[in-house]
Amino acid sequence: MAAAVVKVLTRAHERARNGHDGVHTQTLEAYGHGLHAAQYEELAAGLEGFAEATPVRLRARTVMVVADHLIYPFRYPDRDLPVTAARLKKKDRLRAELIRELGPKPMQGELDLGLEEFENHEVHQGLAHVPRDVSLVIVAYACSMTAGIMRLEWGIADLRPDRYLQWHRHEPL
């Protein structure tokens, strides 16, 4: 499966680069938006033939559950940084919720001030079709339009309060 993940994310990058070249924009918007969409499509197509592979709709995207593991792509920077530098943006509420709900228990306990946490029902609704008995496997990769995929790893991580991923295990693909 590791070889398939490498192949499909490489293909997603190529599709995004070709889309950017096709629209001839000066910004990288076409590449970024294209890569975001293509990573899900390519992973779904590339993993559907594996035993125990099941597609699951997660908002407007299809993600794959393979042998009770939800395989979720995450492009973290556009430069060659280690996966330990991966950090969620503030707008990545769905990813944060996925990690909190399906990822491992945090290594570092949170300070409990006895305050009620704000519940974002929109995010919970986005996870409605995801089985709660699966584990989250994050496929984190550093990628740019010009350099392509520079780093590609997968593993399990929890989310620190500063939005950095705290990796429990990860390995290069």
Side-chain angles (χ1 to χ4, degrees):
M1 188 164 80
V5 169
V6 172
K7 189 176 193 178
V8 299
L9 287 177
T10 300
R11 197 166 41 241
H13 159 71
E14 291 168 359
R15 284 177 55 191
R17 189 181 58 225
N18 291 339
H20 172 81
D21 291 345
V23 295
H24 303 289
T25 61
Q26 294 179 5
T27 67
L28 295 176
E29 287 174 283
Y31 175 77
H33 291 296
L35 181 60
H36 183 77
Q39 68 184 352
Y40 295 103
E41 293 172 5
E42 291 292 341
L43 271 171
L47 299 181
E48 70 183 352
F50 283 88
E52 300 182 52
T54 307
V56 174
R57 290 297 286 178
L58 184 59
R59 291 226 176 132
R61 307 287 180 206
T62 299
V63 293
M64 297 301 287
V65 174
V66 181
D68 296 326
H69 292 85
L70 189 143
I71 311 301
Y72 196 81
F74 172 48
R75 176 183 172 222
Y76 61 99
D78 59 359
R79 57 194 180 284
D80 191 9
L81 292 174
V83 73
T84 53
R87 183 177 191 224
L88 297 186
K89 297 175 184 170
K90 287 183 182 182
K91 67 179 183 174
D92 283 337
R93 293 184 317 205
L94 179 61
R95 282 192 180 116
E97 192 64 26
L98 267 173
I99 294 168
R100 287 185 187 110
E101 291 290 322
L102 304 176
K105 291 190 186 283
M107 287 182 180
Q108 178 180 353
E110 290 187 31
L111 178 63
D112 183 7
L113 299 175
L115 303 173
E116 295 282 329
E117 282 192 35
F118 175 75
E119 224 175 282
N120 188 332
H121 295 288
E122 180 183 349
V123 174
H124 287 289
Q125 290 173 0
L127 295 177
H129 301 291
V130 178
R132 291 293 186 249
D133 60 343
V134 301
S135 299
L136 180 66
V137 174
I138 300 170
V139 178
Y141 63 105
C143 182
S144 75
M145 188 180 74
T146 55
I149 295 176
M150 296 166 274
R151 289 185 190 250
L152 175 57
E153 299 195 27
W154 64 2
I156 60 170
D158 68 69
L159 189 59
R160 296 185 347 201
D162 60 2
R163 299 187 320 274
Y164 280 93
L165 297 179
Q166 179 70 47
W167 293 93
H168 292 231
R169 290 192 324 260
H170 62 93
E171 62 185 51
L173 294 176

